[in-house]
Amino acid sequence: MLQLNSFLLSALLMCTCLGAFAQETTPPAESTPNRDPSPYGTSYFLSHSAFQLPKGRFEYSNRMLLRNSLTYGITSNISITGGFDLQSIFIEEKQFWVNLKASTQLAKNLRVGVSGTSLSTSLFTPQFIENMAYIEGDYVNRDDFFDRPKHYNYVEAFTTFGSIQKNISVGVGFAESSGIVSHPVLTLGAVYPVSPRVSLMLDGKIGNQSERYSSDNTTFLQLNQSITGGIRIAGRAHVFELGATFFDRSGNNGFVLPYFAFRKQF
């Protein structure tokens, strides 16, 4: 935990420096048409920025081959996203979500936004519970899992400093399920171009809260933290995002997973 907190502090200091230098920049020259990654600056790896998809445009996103979403720019200040997990087609687990984001510009290099997400899931199917009980032994109480909520809501407010090409965003959010509201979730995102086609990105979350159930019906609240670092590469009318995510959960050892995504606007 101490190592992760030190890493996050270093990342925050780095992003603060990037934000100090963030300013409106001129789009790349005509010599590199359709290879500008900045139109995809509406989000980082996972969290939002306060920039919006242009009115009337769509964006398709595929993350980790499984999580698919489609975003539509309703106006220059409002967009809506619908998504599903590809596993939903082949197995009993169903995951669908809808997100609505609104943002506006307050001053040059300063934008603010709010976002609301509603997720429905049937993750805790009998087969899933049996597998978990087999893997974790007596740790899992099957009856507890059947009673767990299957609908989650998440609301977040965020501020973005800088241009769409080079910026830093900070935010705070709250999760809700069955009337229970989580502790605040802090988010941090930053993007910095190193060439007309390649940008460095950082995306961190501190305070994701999850529940774990034991066989004696007690509930444990875990403080989850994650940070993703990597690059965004612009192709012709699309971008690829490659990186690695470090997860840390209270009471458990941290672990690292690769991250990759494909995004295309039309």
Side-chain angles (χ1 to χ4, degrees):
M1 180 73 71
L2 182 59
Q3 292 179 341
L4 177 61
N5 289 337
S6 300
F7 185 37
L8 288 174
L9 179 59
S10 301
L12 178 60
L13 292 174
M14 181 187 72
C15 290
T16 303
C17 293
L18 294 182
F21 287 101
Q23 57 184 2
E24 293 294 339
T25 58
T26 304
E30 293 298 326
S31 58
T32 57
N34 298 323
R35 288 180 178 267
D36 178 12
S38 61
Y40 295 86
T42 55
S43 66
Y44 304 100
F45 290 113
L46 298 172
S47 59
H48 292 285
S49 78
F51 289 97
Q52 285 283 7
L53 191 67
K55 177 182 178 180
R57 288 190 65 84
F58 290 89
E59 179 182 309
Y60 167 73
S61 173
N62 179 288
R63 291 179 168 88
M64 303 299 290
L65 300 180
L66 296 176
R67 300 183 69 83
N68 297 267
S69 63
L70 184 65
T71 301
Y72 176 69
I74 301 175
T75 71
S76 58
N77 299 103
I78 300 175
S79 61
I80 187 171
T81 300
F84 70 96
D85 195 302
L86 190 61
Q87 296 179 87
S88 301
I89 299 176
F90 305 104
I91 63 177
E92 293 185 23
E93 176 187 336
K94 311 295 182 187
Q95 288 192 29
F96 303 92
W97 66 91
V98 176
N99 170 269
L100 186 66
K101 184 175 86 168
S103 63
T104 188
Q105 183 173 355
L106 297 182
K108 183 179 180 180
N109 298 331
L110 176 62
R111 302 180 68 92
V112 295
V114 293
S115 171
T117 302
S118 181
L119 168 70
S120 294
T121 179
S122 59
L123 172 62
F124 304 108
T125 62
Q127 183 60 50
F128 175 83
I129 295 168
E130 292 291 351
N131 291 340
M132 289 296 294
Y134 175 76
I135 294 172
E136 300 195 25
D138 194 42
Y139 184 82
V140 174
N141 185 317
R142 297 175 74 255
D143 294 332
D144 288 336
F145 273 95
F146 279 121
D147 293 335
R148 293 188 66 174
K150 296 179 175 61
H151 194 83
Y152 304 85
N153 300 299
Y154 180 72
V155 178
E156 180 186 14
F158 38 88
T159 301
T160 300
F161 305 91
S163 67
I164 195 170
Q165 294 95 343
K166 181 170 53 176
N167 60 67
I168 178 174
S169 295
V170 292
V172 59
F174 295 88
E176 181 277 334
S177 184
S178 299
I180 300 175
V181 179
S182 73
H183 293 299
V185 178
L186 304 180
T187 62
L188 169 69
V191 61
Y192 186 83
V194 293
S195 78
R197 294 183 54 190
V198 179
S199 298
L200 301 179
M201 277 203 305
L202 183 73
D203 195 335
K205 291 182 181 294
I206 306 175
N208 294 338
Q209 186 174 265
S210 64
E211 296 181 352
R212 297 188 70 178
Y213 292 77
S214 68
S215 57
D216 61 358
N217 292 321
T218 57
T219 301
F220 298 92
L221 295 181
Q222 289 187 303
L223 183 65
N224 301 333
Q225 305 178 82
S226 67
I227 183 166
T228 303
I231 61 175
R232 174 181 288 160
I233 305 173
R236 295 189 179 278
H238 62 268
V239 295
F240 292 99
E241 296 173 347
L242 305 172
T245 303
F246 176 79
F247 295 93
D248 178 64
R249 296 182 177 182
S250 57
N252 293 274
N253 295 325
F255 59 95
V256 177
L257 290 177
Y259 176 90
F260 53 90
F262 169 82
R263 298 168 61 187
K264 180 177 177 60
Q265 294 182 5
F266 53 93

